[in-house]
Amino acid sequence: MFSLGDLYQEVIIDHTKSPRNFGTLDPCNHDAEGFNPLCGDQLHIYVQVDAQNTIEDIKFEGQGCSISTASASLMTQAIKGKSVADFKQLFASFHHMATADLDEKPDEEALGKLAVLAGVKEFPSRIKCATLCWHTLKSALEDAAEPAKTE
Amino acid sequence: MHIEDIRNDFPILDQEIFGHPLVYLDNAATTQKPQCVIDAVRKYYEKDNSNIHRGVHSLSERATRDYEAARETIRHFFNVKSSREVIFTRGTTESINLVASSWGGANVSEGDEILISHMEHHSNIVPWQMLCERTGAKLKVIPMHESGELDMVAYADLLSTRTKLVGIVHMSNALGTINPIKSMIEQAHAVGAKVLVDGAQAAAHIATDIQALDVDFYATSAHKMYGPTGVGVLIAKEELLEAMPPYQGGGDMILMVTFEKTQYNALPHKFEAGTPNIAGVIGFGAALRYIESIGFASIVKREKELLIYATQQAETFTGLRQIGTAKDKACVLSFVLDTVHPHDLGTILDREGVAIRAGHHCAMPVMQFYQVPATARASFSIYNTEQEVDALFAALGKARQMFA
Protein backbone atom coordinates (compact mmCIF):
# COMPACT_ATOMS: atom_id res chain seq x y z
CA MET A 1 0.00 0.00 0.00
CA PHE A 2 1.22 3.49 -0.81
CA SER A 3 1.40 5.78 2.16
CA LEU A 4 0.44 9.44 2.21
CA GLY A 5 4.16 10.19 2.21
CA ASP A 6 4.45 8.59 -1.24
CA LEU A 7 1.90 11.04 -2.59
CA TYR A 8 2.93 14.13 -0.68
CA GLN A 9 6.68 13.87 -1.18
CA GLU A 10 8.90 16.75 -0.14
CA VAL A 11 9.36 17.84 -3.76
CA ILE A 12 5.57 18.14 -4.15
CA ILE A 13 5.14 20.13 -0.96
CA ASP A 14 7.99 22.39 -2.07
CA HIS A 15 6.44 23.03 -5.51
CA THR A 16 3.03 23.62 -3.87
CA LYS A 17 4.43 26.27 -1.58
CA SER A 18 6.61 27.95 -4.21
CA PRO A 19 5.43 27.01 -7.68
CA ARG A 20 7.96 27.60 -10.47
CA ASN A 21 7.08 29.52 -13.64
CA PHE A 22 3.97 30.91 -11.98
CA GLY A 23 2.34 33.92 -13.60
CA THR A 24 1.40 35.20 -17.04
CA LEU A 25 3.58 35.29 -20.12
CA ASP A 26 3.64 38.34 -22.37
CA PRO A 27 4.11 37.94 -25.28
CA CYS A 28 2.91 34.41 -25.79
CA ASN A 29 1.64 32.76 -28.96
CA HIS A 30 -0.44 29.98 -27.41
CA ASP A 31 -2.53 29.76 -24.27
CA ALA A 32 -5.39 27.70 -22.91
CA GLU A 33 -7.55 27.23 -19.86
CA GLY A 34 -8.18 23.97 -18.08
CA PHE A 35 -10.92 23.06 -15.62
CA ASN A 36 -11.49 20.12 -13.38
CA PRO A 37 -15.26 20.34 -12.82
CA LEU A 38 -15.05 17.83 -9.98
CA CYS A 39 -12.87 20.00 -7.76
CA GLY A 40 -13.09 23.45 -9.25
CA ASP A 41 -9.40 23.46 -10.18
CA GLN A 42 -8.65 26.18 -12.72
CA LEU A 43 -5.48 26.52 -14.69
CA HIS A 44 -4.26 28.93 -17.36
CA ILE A 45 -1.17 28.00 -19.33
CA TYR A 46 0.80 30.40 -21.56
CA VAL A 47 3.47 29.25 -24.02
CA GLN A 48 5.83 30.90 -26.47
CA VAL A 49 6.81 28.54 -29.29
CA ASP A 50 9.50 29.60 -31.78
CA ALA A 51 9.77 28.92 -35.53
CA GLN A 52 11.71 25.68 -34.89
CA ASN A 53 8.81 24.36 -32.74
CA THR A 54 10.76 24.77 -29.53
CA ILE A 55 8.85 25.74 -26.39
CA GLU A 56 10.87 28.82 -25.56
CA ASP A 57 8.98 29.83 -22.48
CA ILE A 58 6.01 28.60 -20.47
CA LYS A 59 4.09 29.93 -17.46
CA PHE A 60 0.95 28.97 -15.60
CA GLU A 61 -1.45 30.50 -13.15
CA GLY A 62 -4.62 29.38 -11.44
CA GLN A 63 -6.04 27.75 -8.35
CA GLY A 64 -5.77 24.13 -7.43
CA CYS A 65 -4.80 21.54 -4.86
CA SER A 66 -1.19 20.73 -4.11
CA ILE A 67 -1.10 17.88 -6.63
CA SER A 68 -2.42 20.04 -9.45
CA THR A 69 -0.17 22.99 -8.57
CA ALA A 70 2.97 20.88 -8.10
CA SER A 71 2.27 18.93 -11.28
CA ALA A 72 1.91 22.14 -13.32
CA SER A 73 5.05 23.58 -11.75
CA LEU A 74 7.09 20.44 -12.46
CA MET A 75 5.69 20.21 -15.98
CA THR A 76 6.73 23.74 -16.87
CA GLN A 77 10.27 23.00 -15.64
CA ALA A 78 10.44 19.78 -17.62
CA ILE A 79 9.03 21.24 -20.83
CA LYS A 80 10.84 24.57 -21.08
CA GLY A 81 13.33 24.46 -23.95
CA LYS A 82 11.96 21.18 -25.33
CA SER A 83 10.38 20.69 -28.74
CA VAL A 84 6.66 20.18 -29.28
CA ALA A 85 7.47 16.61 -30.35
CA ASP A 86 9.30 16.06 -27.02
CA PHE A 87 6.20 17.35 -25.23
CA LYS A 88 4.01 14.78 -26.96
CA GLN A 89 6.33 11.98 -25.92
CA LEU A 90 6.56 13.21 -22.36
CA PHE A 91 2.76 13.58 -22.16
CA ALA A 92 2.39 9.94 -23.21
CA SER A 93 4.96 8.80 -20.63
CA PHE A 94 3.37 10.88 -17.88
CA HIS A 95 -0.13 9.69 -18.68
CA HIS A 96 1.10 6.10 -18.67
CA MET A 97 2.79 6.57 -15.28
CA ALA A 98 -0.34 8.11 -13.72
CA THR A 99 -2.63 5.31 -14.88
CA ALA A 100 -0.29 2.29 -14.94
CA ASP A 101 -0.65 -0.85 -12.84
CA LEU A 102 0.16 -0.23 -9.22
CA ASP A 103 3.25 -2.46 -9.21
CA GLU A 104 4.80 -0.91 -12.33
CA LYS A 105 7.77 1.33 -11.56
CA PRO A 106 7.84 4.72 -13.29
CA ASP A 107 10.32 5.15 -16.15
CA GLU A 108 12.61 7.56 -14.33
CA GLU A 109 14.93 7.91 -17.29
CA ALA A 110 12.15 9.30 -19.49
CA LEU A 111 10.32 11.21 -16.76
CA GLY A 112 13.10 12.58 -14.57
CA LYS A 113 11.76 14.66 -11.69
CA LEU A 114 8.16 14.10 -12.90
CA ALA A 115 8.41 10.57 -11.48
CA VAL A 116 7.67 11.95 -8.00
CA LEU A 117 4.02 12.12 -9.09
CA ALA A 118 3.82 8.35 -9.63
CA GLY A 119 2.03 8.05 -6.27
CA VAL A 120 -1.20 9.47 -7.69
CA LYS A 121 -2.15 6.19 -9.33
CA GLU A 122 -2.89 4.80 -5.85
CA PHE A 123 -5.40 7.66 -5.38
CA PRO A 124 -7.88 7.32 -8.28
CA SER A 125 -9.75 10.51 -7.43
CA ARG A 126 -6.51 12.49 -7.64
CA ILE A 127 -5.15 11.30 -11.00
CA LYS A 128 -7.02 14.07 -12.79
CA CYS A 129 -5.40 16.65 -10.52
CA ALA A 130 -2.00 15.58 -11.84
CA THR A 131 -2.98 15.32 -15.51
CA LEU A 132 -5.00 18.57 -15.82
CA CYS A 133 -1.95 20.70 -16.66
CA TRP A 134 -0.83 18.27 -19.38
CA HIS A 135 -4.26 18.32 -21.04
CA THR A 136 -4.27 22.11 -20.79
CA LEU A 137 -0.83 22.47 -22.38
CA LYS A 138 -1.93 20.12 -25.18
CA SER A 139 -5.00 22.33 -25.78
CA ALA A 140 -2.78 25.41 -25.85
CA LEU A 141 -0.38 23.93 -28.40
CA GLU A 142 -3.29 22.79 -30.55
CA ASP A 143 -5.06 26.16 -30.18
CA ALA A 144 -8.19 24.25 -29.15
CA ALA A 145 -11.36 26.34 -29.07
CA GLU A 146 -12.69 24.70 -25.89
CA PRO A 147 -11.02 24.79 -22.46
CA ALA A 148 -9.33 21.52 -21.46
CA LYS A 149 -11.31 19.21 -19.22
CA THR A 150 -10.25 16.11 -17.42
CA GLU A 151 -13.70 14.49 -17.64
CA MET B 1 -32.07 7.76 22.34
CA HIS B 2 -28.93 5.70 22.89
CA ILE B 3 -26.15 6.42 20.45
CA GLU B 4 -24.82 2.85 20.55
CA ASP B 5 -28.27 1.46 19.63
CA ILE B 6 -28.51 3.88 16.74
CA ARG B 7 -25.00 3.08 15.49
CA ASN B 8 -25.86 -0.61 15.63
CA ASP B 9 -28.77 0.05 13.27
CA PHE B 10 -26.24 1.04 10.55
CA PRO B 11 -24.14 -1.99 9.60
CA ILE B 12 -21.78 0.00 7.33
CA LEU B 13 -20.39 2.00 10.26
CA ASP B 14 -18.70 -1.08 11.69
CA GLN B 15 -15.61 -1.14 9.48
CA GLU B 16 -12.05 0.12 9.27
CA ILE B 17 -10.55 2.33 6.57
CA PHE B 18 -6.75 2.08 6.30
CA GLY B 19 -6.67 0.58 9.79
CA HIS B 20 -8.78 3.31 11.41
CA PRO B 21 -12.44 3.09 12.44
CA LEU B 22 -14.62 4.64 9.71
CA VAL B 23 -15.69 8.18 10.66
CA TYR B 24 -18.43 9.02 8.18
CA LEU B 25 -18.90 12.80 8.02
CA ASP B 26 -20.29 13.11 4.49
CA ASN B 27 -23.95 12.89 5.44
CA ALA B 28 -24.91 15.96 3.43
CA ALA B 29 -23.91 14.06 0.28
CA THR B 30 -25.80 10.94 1.31
CA THR B 31 -26.67 9.34 4.61
CA GLN B 32 -26.00 5.70 5.47
CA LYS B 33 -28.85 3.19 5.48
CA PRO B 34 -30.21 1.44 8.57
CA GLN B 35 -30.76 -2.32 8.55
CA CYS B 36 -34.56 -1.86 8.37
CA VAL B 37 -34.22 -0.07 5.00
CA ILE B 38 -31.81 -2.67 3.64
CA ASP B 39 -34.23 -5.39 4.83
CA ALA B 40 -37.25 -3.73 3.20
CA VAL B 41 -35.47 -3.50 -0.18
CA ARG B 42 -34.21 -7.05 0.17
CA LYS B 43 -37.62 -8.42 1.15
CA TYR B 44 -39.19 -6.85 -1.92
CA TYR B 45 -36.65 -8.52 -4.23
CA GLU B 46 -36.65 -11.81 -2.34
CA LYS B 47 -40.39 -12.21 -1.78
CA ASP B 48 -42.53 -9.71 -3.66
CA ASN B 49 -40.72 -8.63 -6.83
CA SER B 50 -43.21 -7.94 -9.63
CA ASN B 51 -44.64 -4.95 -11.47
CA ILE B 52 -47.27 -2.78 -9.80
CA HIS B 53 -50.74 -1.48 -10.67
CA ARG B 54 -51.42 -4.09 -13.36
CA GLY B 55 -50.88 -7.68 -12.30
CA VAL B 56 -53.75 -9.67 -10.81
CA HIS B 57 -51.44 -12.22 -9.26
CA SER B 58 -50.41 -12.28 -5.61
CA LEU B 59 -46.90 -10.91 -6.06
CA SER B 60 -48.15 -7.89 -7.98
CA GLU B 61 -50.85 -7.27 -5.41
CA ARG B 62 -48.30 -7.37 -2.60
CA ALA B 63 -45.86 -5.12 -4.45
CA THR B 64 -48.64 -2.64 -5.27
CA ARG B 65 -49.85 -2.66 -1.67
CA ASP B 66 -46.35 -1.98 -0.28
CA TYR B 67 -45.62 0.70 -2.88
CA GLU B 68 -48.86 2.54 -2.11
CA ALA B 69 -48.34 2.03 1.65
CA ALA B 70 -45.02 3.86 1.26
CA ARG B 71 -46.87 6.73 -0.41
CA GLU B 72 -49.15 6.89 2.62
CA THR B 73 -46.13 6.86 4.98
CA ILE B 74 -44.64 9.79 3.09
CA ARG B 75 -47.97 11.65 3.08
CA HIS B 76 -48.20 11.23 6.84
CA PHE B 77 -44.54 12.10 7.48
CA PHE B 78 -44.80 15.47 5.72
CA ASN B 79 -48.43 16.07 6.77
CA VAL B 80 -49.66 16.29 3.19
CA LYS B 81 -53.41 16.66 2.67
CA SER B 82 -53.86 13.87 0.15
CA SER B 83 -51.77 11.01 -1.25
CA ARG B 84 -52.79 12.31 -4.70
CA GLU B 85 -50.33 15.13 -3.97
CA VAL B 86 -47.39 12.74 -3.46
CA ILE B 87 -45.53 12.00 -6.72
CA PHE B 88 -42.57 9.63 -6.76
CA THR B 89 -39.56 10.74 -8.83
CA ARG B 90 -35.89 9.84 -9.19
CA GLY B 91 -35.04 12.49 -6.62
CA THR B 92 -35.06 16.19 -5.85
CA THR B 93 -33.43 17.04 -9.17
CA GLU B 94 -36.12 15.28 -11.19
CA SER B 95 -38.86 16.78 -9.01
CA ILE B 96 -37.62 20.31 -9.71
CA ASN B 97 -37.20 19.59 -13.43
CA LEU B 98 -40.75 18.25 -13.48
CA VAL B 99 -42.09 21.52 -12.06
CA ALA B 100 -39.89 23.74 -14.25
CA SER B 101 -40.85 21.82 -17.36
CA SER B 102 -44.55 21.09 -16.77
CA TRP B 103 -45.79 23.94 -14.56
CA GLY B 104 -43.18 26.41 -15.85
CA GLY B 105 -43.90 25.59 -19.48
CA ALA B 106 -47.60 26.26 -18.96
CA ASN B 107 -47.41 29.29 -16.67
CA VAL B 108 -44.21 31.25 -17.34
CA SER B 109 -43.71 33.57 -20.27
CA GLU B 110 -41.59 36.52 -21.43
CA GLY B 111 -41.38 39.31 -18.88
CA ASP B 112 -42.12 37.01 -15.93
CA GLU B 113 -39.55 36.51 -13.19
CA ILE B 114 -38.29 33.43 -11.35
CA LEU B 115 -36.65 34.26 -8.04
CA ILE B 116 -34.09 31.95 -6.48
CA SER B 117 -31.43 32.50 -3.82
CA HIS B 118 -27.65 32.79 -3.96
CA MET B 119 -27.25 29.59 -1.93
CA GLU B 120 -29.19 27.23 -4.19
CA HIS B 121 -27.85 23.84 -5.24
CA HIS B 122 -27.27 23.60 -9.00
CA SER B 123 -30.45 21.49 -9.18
CA ASN B 124 -32.49 24.53 -8.14
CA ILE B 125 -30.65 26.89 -10.50
CA VAL B 126 -30.16 25.13 -13.83
CA PRO B 127 -33.77 23.96 -14.47
CA TRP B 128 -34.94 27.57 -13.98
CA GLN B 129 -32.18 28.92 -16.22
CA MET B 130 -33.31 26.46 -18.89
CA LEU B 131 -36.93 27.54 -18.44
CA CYS B 132 -35.94 31.20 -18.71
CA GLU B 133 -33.98 30.51 -21.90
CA ARG B 134 -37.00 28.77 -23.39
CA THR B 135 -39.57 31.39 -22.39
CA GLY B 136 -37.71 34.69 -22.17
CA ALA B 137 -38.48 34.99 -18.47
CA LYS B 138 -35.88 36.51 -16.17
CA LEU B 139 -33.97 34.72 -13.40
CA LYS B 140 -33.38 36.88 -10.33
CA VAL B 141 -31.27 36.07 -7.29
CA ILE B 142 -31.86 36.86 -3.60
CA PRO B 143 -28.45 37.98 -2.27
CA MET B 144 -26.91 36.75 0.97
CA HIS B 145 -24.83 38.17 3.79
CA GLU B 146 -21.30 37.12 4.73
CA SER B 147 -22.76 34.93 7.50
CA GLY B 148 -24.56 32.82 4.91
CA GLU B 149 -28.01 34.22 5.74
CA LEU B 150 -30.31 35.51 3.03
CA ASP B 151 -30.85 39.25 2.76
CA MET B 152 -34.54 39.42 3.65
CA VAL B 153 -34.79 43.15 2.91
CA ALA B 154 -33.59 42.49 -0.62
CA TYR B 155 -36.01 39.57 -0.85
CA ALA B 156 -38.96 41.82 -0.08
CA ASP B 157 -37.72 44.31 -2.70
CA LEU B 158 -37.24 41.66 -5.37
CA LEU B 159 -40.76 40.26 -4.99
CA SER B 160 -43.30 41.79 -7.34
CA THR B 161 -46.34 40.88 -9.38
CA ARG B 162 -43.89 39.81 -12.11
CA THR B 163 -42.57 37.07 -9.80
CA LYS B 164 -44.13 33.81 -10.93
CA LEU B 165 -42.20 31.45 -8.70
CA VAL B 166 -39.77 31.57 -5.79
CA GLY B 167 -37.39 28.59 -5.62
CA ILE B 168 -35.76 28.35 -2.23
CA VAL B 169 -33.64 25.81 -0.41
CA HIS B 170 -34.90 24.89 3.09
CA MET B 171 -31.38 24.13 4.34
CA SER B 172 -28.19 24.87 2.42
CA ASN B 173 -26.01 21.83 1.75
CA ALA B 174 -22.90 23.98 1.42
CA LEU B 175 -23.44 26.25 4.44
CA GLY B 176 -25.93 24.54 6.75
CA THR B 177 -28.10 27.69 6.82
CA ILE B 178 -31.77 27.05 7.60
CA ASN B 179 -33.87 29.59 5.70
CA PRO B 180 -37.03 31.16 7.17
CA ILE B 181 -39.22 29.48 4.58
CA LYS B 182 -42.54 30.02 6.37
CA SER B 183 -42.32 33.79 6.18
CA MET B 184 -40.75 33.65 2.72
CA ILE B 185 -43.70 31.60 1.46
CA GLU B 186 -46.19 34.05 3.01
CA GLN B 187 -44.46 37.00 1.37
CA ALA B 188 -44.36 35.26 -2.01
CA HIS B 189 -48.04 34.35 -1.80
CA ALA B 190 -48.85 37.97 -1.00
CA VAL B 191 -47.68 38.97 -4.51
CA GLY B 192 -49.32 35.95 -6.13
CA ALA B 193 -46.12 33.92 -6.68
CA LYS B 194 -45.90 30.15 -6.22
CA VAL B 195 -43.10 28.69 -4.09
CA LEU B 196 -40.95 25.62 -4.59
CA VAL B 197 -38.98 24.46 -1.56
CA ASP B 198 -35.91 22.27 -2.08
CA GLY B 199 -36.02 20.06 1.00
CA ALA B 200 -33.20 17.68 0.05
CA GLN B 201 -30.85 18.76 2.81
CA ALA B 202 -33.38 19.59 5.50
CA ALA B 203 -35.89 16.76 5.42
CA ALA B 204 -33.95 14.32 7.61
CA HIS B 205 -33.03 16.99 10.16
CA ILE B 206 -36.05 19.29 10.60
CA ALA B 207 -39.73 18.39 10.87
CA THR B 208 -41.52 19.65 7.77
CA ASP B 209 -45.29 20.24 7.78
CA ILE B 210 -46.43 20.83 4.21
CA GLN B 211 -49.92 22.06 5.15
CA ALA B 212 -48.69 24.43 7.86
CA LEU B 213 -46.12 25.88 5.45
CA ASP B 214 -48.76 26.16 2.71
CA VAL B 215 -45.98 25.38 0.22
CA ASP B 216 -46.98 24.90 -3.43
CA PHE B 217 -44.17 22.54 -4.51
CA TYR B 218 -41.85 20.58 -2.23
CA ALA B 219 -39.04 18.34 -3.48
CA THR B 220 -36.80 15.95 -1.59
CA SER B 221 -34.69 12.79 -1.98
CA ALA B 222 -34.84 9.50 -0.07
CA HIS B 223 -31.08 8.98 0.00
CA LYS B 224 -30.43 11.97 2.26
CA MET B 225 -33.04 10.57 4.68
CA TYR B 226 -31.47 7.12 5.29
CA GLY B 227 -33.30 5.72 2.26
CA PRO B 228 -32.13 4.36 -1.11
CA THR B 229 -30.60 6.43 -3.92
CA GLY B 230 -32.50 7.10 -7.13
CA VAL B 231 -35.85 7.83 -5.52
CA GLY B 232 -37.46 11.00 -4.25
CA VAL B 233 -40.71 12.83 -4.15
CA LEU B 234 -42.50 15.86 -5.47
CA ILE B 235 -45.27 17.05 -3.18
CA ALA B 236 -47.57 19.65 -4.73
CA LYS B 237 -51.00 21.15 -4.29
CA GLU B 238 -53.62 19.05 -6.01
CA GLU B 239 -55.18 21.93 -7.96
CA LEU B 240 -51.77 22.79 -9.43
CA LEU B 241 -51.04 19.20 -10.39
CA GLU B 242 -54.51 18.82 -11.92
CA ALA B 243 -53.92 21.82 -14.17
CA MET B 244 -50.37 20.85 -15.17
CA PRO B 245 -49.67 18.86 -18.36
CA PRO B 246 -47.90 15.50 -17.88
CA TYR B 247 -44.10 15.62 -17.65
CA GLN B 248 -43.35 12.31 -19.35
CA GLY B 249 -45.63 10.06 -21.36
CA GLY B 250 -45.72 6.30 -21.10
CA GLY B 251 -47.18 3.39 -19.22
CA ASP B 252 -49.01 3.84 -15.91
CA MET B 253 -49.82 7.52 -16.58
CA ILE B 254 -52.72 6.74 -18.95
CA LEU B 255 -56.34 5.65 -18.76
CA MET B 256 -56.96 5.04 -22.44
CA VAL B 257 -54.66 5.27 -25.44
CA THR B 258 -55.66 5.37 -29.10
CA PHE B 259 -53.59 6.75 -31.96
CA GLU B 260 -55.93 9.73 -32.06
CA LYS B 261 -55.87 10.67 -28.39
CA THR B 262 -54.71 9.65 -24.93
CA GLN B 263 -56.67 10.14 -21.76
CA TYR B 264 -54.36 10.66 -18.80
CA ASN B 265 -54.56 8.78 -15.54
CA ALA B 266 -55.66 10.39 -12.29
CA LEU B 267 -53.22 11.86 -9.76
CA PRO B 268 -50.66 10.87 -8.66
CA HIS B 269 -50.22 8.37 -11.52
CA LYS B 270 -50.44 11.08 -14.19
CA PHE B 271 -46.87 12.07 -13.23
CA GLU B 272 -45.45 8.56 -12.76
CA ALA B 273 -44.86 7.30 -16.29
CA GLY B 274 -43.13 3.95 -16.63
CA THR B 275 -42.26 1.31 -14.07
CA PRO B 276 -41.00 3.23 -11.05
CA ASN B 277 -38.22 2.40 -8.59
CA ILE B 278 -40.51 0.08 -6.62
CA ALA B 279 -37.87 -1.26 -4.24
CA GLY B 280 -36.58 2.28 -3.73
CA VAL B 281 -40.02 3.62 -2.85
CA ILE B 282 -40.58 0.78 -0.38
CA GLY B 283 -37.15 1.49 1.13
CA PHE B 284 -38.04 5.22 1.29
CA GLY B 285 -41.12 4.35 3.35
CA ALA B 286 -39.04 2.21 5.71
CA ALA B 287 -36.53 5.07 6.11
CA LEU B 288 -39.24 7.55 7.13
CA ARG B 289 -40.67 5.09 9.64
CA TYR B 290 -37.14 4.80 11.04
CA ILE B 291 -36.87 8.59 11.44
CA GLU B 292 -40.32 8.65 13.09
CA SER B 293 -39.22 5.93 15.52
CA ILE B 294 -36.45 8.23 16.78
CA GLY B 295 -38.47 11.45 16.54
CA PHE B 296 -37.45 14.93 15.44
CA ALA B 297 -37.26 16.24 19.01
CA SER B 298 -34.36 13.87 19.75
CA ILE B 299 -32.79 14.30 16.30
CA VAL B 300 -32.72 18.10 16.45
CA LYS B 301 -31.35 18.12 20.01
CA ARG B 302 -28.62 15.58 19.24
CA GLU B 303 -27.51 17.15 15.96
CA LYS B 304 -27.37 20.58 17.58
CA GLU B 305 -25.09 19.26 20.34
CA LEU B 306 -22.76 17.79 17.73
CA LEU B 307 -22.63 20.97 15.65
CA ILE B 308 -21.91 23.10 18.73
CA TYR B 309 -19.15 20.69 19.79
CA ALA B 310 -17.58 20.76 16.31
CA THR B 311 -17.95 24.53 15.93
CA GLN B 312 -16.17 25.14 19.24
CA GLN B 313 -13.18 23.14 18.01
CA ALA B 314 -13.27 24.87 14.62
CA GLU B 315 -13.15 28.29 16.30
CA THR B 316 -9.88 27.50 18.08
CA PHE B 317 -8.18 25.63 15.22
CA THR B 318 -5.39 27.85 13.85
CA GLY B 319 -5.80 28.87 10.22
CA LEU B 320 -9.36 27.55 9.86
CA ARG B 321 -11.98 29.79 8.29
CA GLN B 322 -15.57 28.67 8.62
CA ILE B 323 -17.75 29.16 5.55
CA GLY B 324 -21.31 29.73 6.72
CA THR B 325 -21.96 30.99 10.23
CA ALA B 326 -25.71 31.59 10.14
CA LYS B 327 -27.45 31.80 13.52
CA ASP B 328 -29.96 29.19 12.39
CA LYS B 329 -27.95 26.32 10.95
CA ALA B 330 -27.64 22.58 11.30
CA CYS B 331 -25.38 19.62 10.66
CA VAL B 332 -22.85 21.27 8.33
CA LEU B 333 -19.33 22.51 9.10
CA SER B 334 -17.92 23.95 5.89
CA PHE B 335 -14.41 25.40 6.06
CA VAL B 336 -11.08 26.14 4.43
CA LEU B 337 -7.58 25.95 5.95
CA ASP B 338 -5.03 28.62 5.06
CA THR B 339 -2.27 26.14 4.22
CA VAL B 340 -3.99 23.00 2.88
CA HIS B 341 -6.30 22.83 -0.15
CA PRO B 342 -9.66 21.06 0.51
CA HIS B 343 -8.81 18.25 -1.91
CA ASP B 344 -5.58 17.49 -0.18
CA LEU B 345 -7.51 17.51 3.10
CA GLY B 346 -9.99 15.03 1.64
CA THR B 347 -7.21 12.61 0.68
CA ILE B 348 -5.24 13.01 3.91
CA LEU B 349 -8.33 12.61 6.12
CA ASP B 350 -9.40 9.52 4.20
CA ARG B 351 -6.13 7.84 5.19
CA GLU B 352 -7.15 8.50 8.81
CA GLY B 353 -10.54 6.89 8.20
CA VAL B 354 -12.37 10.23 8.14
CA ALA B 355 -14.75 10.72 5.19
CA ILE B 356 -15.52 14.34 4.36
CA ARG B 357 -16.50 16.08 1.14
CA ALA B 358 -14.16 18.48 -0.63
CA GLY B 359 -15.34 20.56 -3.54
CA HIS B 360 -17.96 23.05 -4.59
CA HIS B 361 -20.88 20.99 -3.22
CA CYS B 362 -22.87 21.61 -6.42
CA ALA B 363 -23.19 25.22 -5.29
CA MET B 364 -20.58 27.06 -7.37
CA PRO B 365 -22.20 30.49 -6.81
CA VAL B 366 -21.65 30.00 -3.05
CA MET B 367 -17.94 29.37 -3.71
CA GLN B 368 -17.83 32.49 -5.92
CA PHE B 369 -19.47 34.51 -3.13
CA TYR B 370 -16.81 33.51 -0.59
CA GLN B 371 -14.06 33.67 -3.27
CA VAL B 372 -12.86 30.14 -2.58
CA PRO B 373 -12.39 27.44 -5.24
CA ALA B 374 -13.75 24.77 -2.94
CA THR B 375 -14.41 24.04 0.71
CA ALA B 376 -13.98 21.05 2.97
CA ARG B 377 -17.26 20.00 4.51
CA ALA B 378 -17.92 17.79 7.50
CA SER B 379 -21.62 17.02 7.84
CA PHE B 380 -23.22 15.26 10.76
CA SER B 381 -26.04 12.86 11.35
CA ILE B 382 -27.76 11.10 14.24
CA TYR B 383 -25.16 8.32 14.40
CA ASN B 384 -22.11 10.59 14.73
CA THR B 385 -20.33 11.02 18.04
CA GLU B 386 -18.13 13.56 19.82
CA GLN B 387 -15.23 11.09 19.48
CA GLU B 388 -15.68 11.24 15.71
CA VAL B 389 -15.50 15.04 15.81
CA ASP B 390 -12.25 14.64 17.79
CA ALA B 391 -10.95 12.26 15.12
CA LEU B 392 -11.76 14.86 12.46
CA PHE B 393 -9.78 17.58 14.20
CA ALA B 394 -6.88 15.22 15.01
CA ALA B 395 -6.69 14.37 11.29
CA LEU B 396 -6.86 18.07 10.36
CA GLY B 397 -3.94 18.63 12.72
CA LYS B 398 -1.92 16.00 10.86
CA ALA B 399 -2.77 17.56 7.50
CA ARG B 400 -1.65 20.97 8.72
CA GLN B 401 1.58 19.40 9.96
CA MET B 402 2.32 17.89 6.53
CA PHE B 403 2.12 21.28 4.86
CA ALA B 404 3.87 23.17 7.68
Side-chain angles (χ1 to χ4, degrees), chain A residues 2 8 17 37 39 64 66 126, chain B residues 341 343-344 347 351 360 403-404:
Chain A
F2 281 80
Y8 294 107
K17 287 182 175 174
C39 0
S66 70
R126 306 303 299 277
Chain B
H341 189 279
H343 285 109
D344 296 311
T347 297
R351 292 280 154 149
H360 52 62
F403 283 82

Side-chain angles (χ1 to χ4, degrees), chain B residues 29-294:
Chain B
T30 195
T31 54
Q32 298 303 345
K33 321 305 173 198
Q35 191 65 52
C36 60
V37 169
I38 299 167
D39 288 345
V41 171
R42 182 181 170 144
K43 176 185 168 277
Y44 166 73
Y45 281 124
E46 282 185 353
K47 308 275 188 201
D48 306 326
N49 176 56
S50 60
N51 216 325
I52 53 167
H53 296 148
R54 56 200 78 157
V56 289
H57 54 77
S58 298
L59 293 189
S60 177
E61 282 175 0
R62 290 209 299 259
T64 305
R65 181 197 61 203
D66 291 351
Y67 180 87
E68 290 302 328
R71 196 190 307 275
E72 176 55 25
T73 300
I74 285 143
R75 186 204 65 74
H76 178 264
F77 184 93
F78 289 104
N79 190 30
V80 183
K81 198 156 87 187
S82 158
S83 58
R84 290 187 296 280
E85 301 179 323
V86 177
I87 315 278
F88 289 119
T89 64
R90 284 192 297 131
T92 305
T93 299
E94 189 177 54
S95 298
I96 297 172
N97 276 279
L98 189 165
V99 176
S101 178
S102 168
W103 179 87
N107 292 282
V108 175
S109 48
E110 196 172 350
D112 290 340
E113 291 175 2
I114 305 287
L115 187 52
I116 59 173
S117 87
H118 200 118
M119 65 176 79
E120 297 308 310
H121 188 281
H122 296 160
S123 62
N124 204 24
I125 301 173
V126 184
W128 305 116
Q129 267 174 345
M130 289 161 63
L131 174 68
C132 288
E133 274 171 27
R134 276 199 307 276
T135 59
K138 219 169 156 185
L139 189 66
K140 295 215 156 180
V141 181
I142 309 162
M144 66 178 181
H145 299 297
E146 188 65 28
S147 61
E149 287 160 329
L150 290 180
D151 181 340
M152 298 310 286
V153 176
Y155 175 56
D157 285 346
L158 282 162
L159 280 172
S160 77
T161 51
R162 288 185 302 278
T163 315
K164 280 281 163 169
L165 181 129
V166 177
I168 187 78
V169 69
H170 193 174
M171 175 177 155
S172 159
N173 73 313
L175 302 167
T177 308
I178 298 169
N179 286 314
I181 55 168
K182 179 131 182 34
S183 95
M184 293 181 79
I185 292 167
E186 283 167 9
Q187 290 179 70
H189 284 171
V191 298
K194 303 293 181 223
V195 179
L196 179 141
V197 169
D198 166 4
Q201 203 57 55
H205 308 290
I206 315 168
T208 305
D209 183 329
I210 295 293
Q211 290 187 79
L213 287 169
D214 192 27
V215 62
D216 302 290
F217 301 104
Y218 179 84
T220 198
S221 298
H223 77 96
K224 292 189 202 274
M225 309 182 73
Y226 313 107
T229 55
V231 62
V233 69
L234 170 68
I235 295 169
K237 287 180 179 167
E238 190 170 348
E239 65 267 25
L240 294 171
L241 291 171
E242 281 292 356
M244 282 158 59
Y247 175 50
Q248 293 178 333
D252 236 22
M253 56 77 73
I254 51 88
L255 283 181
M256 167 63 82
V257 178
T258 65
F259 284 117
E260 287 67 45
K261 186 163 174 59
T262 291
Q263 206 181 339
Y264 303 128
N265 202 344
L267 291 172
H269 310 294
K270 176 174 140 187
F271 290 101
E272 291 180 5
T275 298
N277 183 351
I278 304 168
V281 164
I282 290 169
F284 191 5
L288 297 198
R289 287 197 299 279
Y290 181 75
I291 294 176
E292 281 173 338
S293 74
I294 298 170

